[in-house]
Amino acid sequence: MWFGSLPGLSSQRRWPSTVEQGPMASATEQGMEAAASPVACYRELSQFPVVTRAALGATTGLQTFLLYTECSRPDLPRRRLLRFSRHYSLQRTGDGGLAVSQTALSTEIHHQLLSQDSPSGQHRAVLSRCPRQGHELLEVWGSGGRSHSVDLTALGQHGEVYTERPFACLAWSHSETRLLYVAEKIRPKPRPPSPWDVPGAARPAEEDDNEEGEQFVYHEDWGEALSTRSVAVLCALDMEDSSISVLEGVPEHLSSGQALWSPEDRGVVFVGWWHEPFRLGLNACTNRRSGIFHLDLASRHCELLSSEHGVAFSPRLSPDGHHLLYLEGDLGGPHRQCLRLRMLTWQTRQTVTVLDVVQEPTEAFTGLYGDALPPRCWAADSRRAILGTPQKSRTDLLLVDTETATITNLTARSSKGCWELLTLQWDLLVATCSAPHCPPSLVVAVLPPAGQELPLSWVPVEDAPTVPGVTWKTLTVQPPCSGAQAFEALLMSPPDGTVPHPLVVCPHGGPHAVFDARWRPGMAALCQMGFAVLLVNYRGSVGFGQASISSLISCMGEQDVADTQLAVKQALCSEALDPHRLALLAGSHGAFIALHLLIREPERYKACALRSPVSNLPALLGTSDIPDWRYTSLGLPYSFERVPHAEELAIMLLRSPIAQAAQVRTPVLLCVGARDRRVSPTQALELYRVLRAKGVPVRLLWYPEGGHALAGVEIEADVFRNCARWLLQHLGQPQQGGMGQHSP
């Protein structure tokens, strides 16, 4: 089970821990123990599972449903991600509600890469990797056991199957006889050295001169987190004869992904990304040229369904097969923007805009953001759809009526600040919800008829308790300049609000991202240790309208830094915080902001911990997978033919913290991944050398297998441990309820 019991919690559950608490241990005592050990605190709060996938199956009459979920959580002792499945039964009740019961114990998932249930729920496709040979296997399971098992690697029709966003898919045909997926295009293996390569050896006559030296040709990839992905192709498994085919007809200049079967299985709808003239980094960048295509399987004709020069992705076909929803954005510019929701009528090929770009937010709707629609987002009436999107500092579920283009926020009044729709089938919603002080809970609901959606009654499947004593609130910050839009910050506070707490300030990376009010184990752990945490959504964050995003262009290093300063000032004036014990904790562009703060106010912050920091803008032009952003962020035009000019490099250098790094006095911890393709780790190395030369306390952690996000169970735990200890070392142990010792 996830939780035991703890007196005083309404859920009647307690925190999982490797150190057993006595039955009478109070929340304050537990908080004190956590404060004494960052490692123990992080271990305890990181054990709450995250539901990564959910699927529904129905019995006759649609009165009883089977709910299957896949979950993951860190297994810190074994330094790996523990993955497991859980099963539940959902029963419709006489009053239109649901009764929930668990039907089986949790089962660990081994070696699985992807899985997908068929439309009827009678079959499950599983892509796994054989641990010994490393081969990829595609299997189909049903009530009678395994019906198909195909060794994809042995067949040699393609390279590795794509399991990462934005390409990955595993799609069933409507007839449930074929499976669609995406894999790397097969490439001839490099020819091993031949005898003629040895000096004096005779060269075989059959060797082709055109193949000489081909083994060292450079092949482009899709950048950060996609460094092994170059050309994606569509592949299909025919279960009648267990044959694999690579679909023909897709233009050579496209990489394919996010595929699904068209009505009546006559073709395939997919997203195609242009990779000419060369690839730019795709991870977390929804502004790359892409389109929605239809490939007719009989004629091999490939038709572009969206605009020619734009951005389109995440297609979702309605249950009746009449409409196709997808997201559309503008080409170039900020890497994440406010998007349009578009709908195509399949028979006529006519497209309409259901939701347009929102320049200025309203109370009802602040715009549509994100990189994907939920896998199943359509209601059974093929008219309504549900999607999740940031709405300022929340992530809410919105119901969209595609005929009237009206929006109903289903979760706006919830105490939970982040909602994610896992699946919607037979008008049953399965979702997770969390808050900064509450781990994710799994909930279900019945979608009422149109016009009667509110209030929506959520039924808990697996509930999670709140962190004892930790609270949070949203601060609205108004810049002093006339006409400037307000922004927000999330303040997390530790137990006992009467004690002035040290404050850890966290501007987010991106920069066009957002700190929504979700569960973050590391931030909650800092609160349990006695630190207050301020998560700043400066102007330019997504969720606040396109005008806010655009306002940051040309103002990098100025507006974002000033906004963070203003948020800190407001928090210090209105909350029980210690103004003499401030620290910075940030990554990527957030680290860029933090460095500017250290330069502008060298005496204010007593400690700083940075991950994958941006410090030298012109140096990124030749080292980053997104060189276009270096121009766009400063309001400079970008084109693929672009080469840097001296005056532009000068502007970038003037905006770079490295140019004034000699003014930093605050102790700095740097954490970088050696495989970072987005922000070269040499940025941190250069900064490290400057600070060392000036005698500033500095420490550099170098993770050989780490990428830009420094992801992975072992790396994430080590980064938190070192950052927490750095804060304790330079801020002192936080005071707890008047019982701790205050450090100057």
Side-chain angles (χ1 to χ4, degrees):
M1 296 296 291
W2 291 1
F3 316 105
S5 62
L6 177 64
L9 288 180
S10 59
S11 60
Q12 295 299 304
R13 297 179 176 185
R14 71 169 174 86
W15 302 104
S17 176
T18 55
V19 180
E20 188 64 33
Q21 299 283 348
M24 300 303 293
S26 68
T28 302
E29 291 172 85
Q30 294 179 41
M32 286 293 293
E33 180 178 337
S37 173
V39 175
C41 189
Y42 180 81
R43 182 187 301 119
E44 189 167 319
L45 296 182
S46 65
Q47 295 307 295
F48 294 96
V50 175
V51 182
T52 56
R53 192 176 84 82
L56 284 166
T59 59
T60 304
L62 297 182
Q63 293 300 309
T64 302
F65 304 87
L66 299 178
L67 172 59
Y68 167 82
T69 62
E70 295 177 1
C71 310
S72 65
R73 68 171 179 82
D75 185 352
L76 294 177
R78 294 174 179 82
R79 302 180 181 182
R80 67 186 181 98
L81 191 68
L82 177 65
R83 303 176 63 209
F84 56 95
S85 62
R86 295 175 70 93
H87 302 258
Y88 309 89
S89 175
L90 310 180
Q91 179 74 42
R92 289 187 183 270
T93 59
D95 58 358
L98 290 171
V100 180
S101 61
Q102 187 174 337
T103 59
L105 297 176
S106 301
T107 304
E108 186 171 1
I109 298 173
H110 296 281
H111 317 303
Q112 179 178 296
L113 303 176
L114 291 174
S115 71
Q116 189 60 256
D117 288 31
S118 65
S120 68
Q122 300 301 309
H123 307 282
R124 177 171 298 145
V126 177
L127 174 73
S128 59
R129 177 170 287 121
C130 181
R132 291 187 178 181
Q133 297 91 348
H135 284 204
E136 290 181 332
L137 307 177
L138 184 55
E139 300 178 334
V140 177
W141 293 78
S143 58
R146 186 178 64 187
S147 60
H148 297 78
S149 181
V150 179
D151 188 333
L152 302 180
T153 306
L155 291 178
Q157 296 294 310
H158 52 71
E160 281 191 352
V161 177
Y162 283 32
T163 59
E164 312 89 352
R165 285 187 176 187
F167 295 102
C169 69
L170 189 57
W172 284 89
S173 63
H174 300 89
S175 63
E176 301 191 2
T177 60
R178 287 182 288 180
L179 277 167
L180 191 62
Y181 61 95
V182 176
E184 181 70 16
K185 184 178 181 180
I186 195 71
R187 184 182 299 141
K189 293 183 179 180
R191 178 178 54 82
S194 300
W196 64 265
D197 292 322
V198 180
R203 178 173 180 171
E206 66 271 14
E207 292 288 357
D208 186 353
D209 288 341
N210 293 330
E211 295 182 1
E212 184 175 2
E214 289 297 310
Q215 63 266 38
F216 298 113
V217 171
Y218 170 66
H219 296 281
E220 292 180 23
D221 58 60
W222 287 103
E224 174 63 28
L226 297 167
S227 59
T228 62
R229 309 311 188 196
S230 181
V231 181
V233 293
L234 298 175
C235 308
L237 165 66
D238 190 325
M239 283 178 281
E240 293 184 353
D241 58 4
S242 294
S243 62
I244 296 293
S245 60
V246 177
L247 303 186
E248 298 181 1
V250 178
E252 290 292 326
H253 63 272
L254 297 177
S255 280
S256 311
Q258 300 182 14
L260 56 106
W261 297 89
S262 64
E264 300 180 359
D265 297 337
R266 294 179 179 176
V268 171
V269 176
F270 68 94
V271 178
W273 286 269
W274 274 256
H275 44 63
E276 300 295 340
F278 59 84
R279 294 162 180 78
L280 293 170
L282 193 54
N283 183 47
C285 299
T286 56
N287 64 337
R288 304 304 185 207
R289 188 183 179 189
S290 58
I292 308 293
F293 293 84
H294 175 242
L295 175 65
D296 185 278
L297 296 180
S299 66
R300 298 179 182 175
H301 172 67
C302 194
E303 173 190 7
L304 177 62
L305 303 178
S306 58
S307 61
E308 174 72 25
H309 297 280
V311 173
F313 53 95
S314 196
R316 300 291 185 263
L317 189 66
S318 62
D320 62 9
H322 293 169
H323 298 99
L324 186 75
L325 275 183
Y326 63 90
L327 297 173
E328 181 184 83
D330 292 333
L331 183 62
H335 286 151
R336 293 184 65 190
Q337 307 178 29
C338 189
L339 303 170
R340 302 174 191 87
L341 182 65
R342 300 274 282 172
M343 185 173 70
L344 177 141
T345 300
W346 189 256
Q347 293 298 330
T348 65
R349 295 297 198 265
Q350 292 182 338
T351 304
V352 297
T353 298
V354 180
L355 299 178
D356 209 343
V357 171
V358 173
Q359 292 295 330
E360 300 288 347
T362 65
E363 287 299 319
F365 184 50
T366 69
L368 181 59
Y369 311 88
D371 57 4
L373 296 171
R376 289 181 179 267
C377 63
W378 282 97
D381 57 15
S382 293
R383 169 177 171 172
R384 295 173 295 167
I386 296 179
L387 49 90
T389 184
Q391 298 290 281
K392 295 187 177 179
S393 297
R394 295 177 55 91
T395 292
D396 284 315
L397 297 183
L398 306 182
L399 183 142
V400 181
D401 188 316
T402 60
E403 291 187 8
T404 61
T406 55
I407 302 166
T408 302
N409 192 321
L410 300 177
T411 57
R413 299 183 182 276
S414 167
S415 61
K416 303 296 177 67
C418 179
W419 289 76
E420 179 184 358
L421 180 66
L422 296 172
T423 190
L424 168 57
Q425 195 168 3
W426 301 297
D427 281 348
L428 290 182
L429 291 83
V430 183
T432 60
C433 56
S434 70
H437 68 328
C438 185
S441 294
L442 179 66
V443 295
V444 294
V446 177
L447 181 65
Q452 304 175 31
E453 294 89 359
L454 293 179
L456 196 61
S457 179
W458 294 99
V459 178
V461 178
E462 285 290 344
D463 207 358
T466 58
V467 179
V470 175
T471 59
W472 68 281
K473 65 172 64 174
T474 302
L475 304 180
T476 300
V477 186
Q478 180 63 58
C481 46
S482 177
Q485 182 183 323
F487 61 95
E488 292 181 347
L490 298 174
L491 178 65
M492 299 175 61
S493 300
D496 193 345
T498 64
V499 178
H501 300 292
L503 178 65
V504 179
V505 180
C506 306
H508 62 70
H512 302 299
V514 67
F515 275 134
D516 60 0
R518 72 174 60 229
W519 169 251
R520 295 178 175 84
M523 299 303 181
L526 289 177
C527 278
Q528 280 281 284
M529 292 166 55
F531 295 100
V533 178
L534 186 68
L535 308 174
V536 184
N537 289 322
Y538 48 86
R539 283 174 292 167
S541 305
V542 300
F544 294 80
Q546 183 61 33
S548 175
I549 293 174
S550 301
S551 72
L552 190 55
I553 303 301
S554 302
C555 299
M556 295 290 179
E558 297 175 353
Q559 177 177 291
D560 44 2
V561 178
D563 283 357
T564 305
Q565 283 180 308
L566 188 59
V568 173
K569 180 180 178 181
Q570 179 167 320
L572 292 175
C573 291
S574 61
E575 309 296 331
L577 302 170
D578 188 343
H580 304 294
R581 302 173 71 198
L582 304 182
L584 288 161
L585 176 65
S588 194
H589 184 84
F592 172 85
I593 296 173
L595 288 169
H596 274 294
L597 290 170
L598 297 184
I599 293 167
R600 295 187 184 187
E601 302 180 280
E603 304 300 326
R604 165 162 280 203
Y605 296 96
K606 306 305 179 185
C608 180
L610 305 178
R611 306 176 312 281
S612 310
V614 174
S615 60
N616 189 332
L617 299 182
L620 288 173
L621 287 177
T623 59
S624 175
D625 66 332
I626 53 171
D628 59 309
W629 179 237
R630 297 281 64 85
Y631 294 98
T632 302
S633 64
L634 299 179
L636 301 173
Y638 174 79
S639 66
F640 284 96
E641 300 84 10
R642 179 108 199 202
V643 293
H645 299 156
E647 58 273 16
E648 295 166 348
L649 293 175
I651 294 174
M652 294 181 191
L653 185 59
L654 288 174
R655 295 284 183 91
S656 300
I658 194 66
Q660 303 177 68
Q663 299 180 32
V664 174
R665 298 290 180 267
T666 303
V668 176
L669 172 68
L670 302 169
C671 308
V672 296
R675 297 189 175 187
D676 190 343
R677 297 282 302 279
R678 182 110 335 153
V679 178
S680 171
T682 58
Q683 296 258 312
L685 186 59
E686 179 185 30
L687 180 62
Y688 170 82
R689 289 167 175 165
V690 171
L691 297 180
R692 279 292 299 269
K694 290 294 181 178
V696 177
V698 60
R699 188 179 186 215
L700 175 63
L701 301 179
W702 187 276
Y703 298 94
E705 302 302 316
H708 185 63
L710 292 175
V713 172
E714 184 177 9
I715 293 178
E716 290 177 23
D718 191 78
V719 168
F720 175 83
R721 177 172 59 246
N722 279 280
C723 289
R725 288 176 175 173
W726 191 259
L727 298 178
L728 290 172
Q729 176 184 348
H730 296 285
L731 291 182
Q733 182 73 42
Q735 197 171 356
Q736 289 281 346
M739 298 173 63
Q741 296 297 318
H742 182 80
S743 300

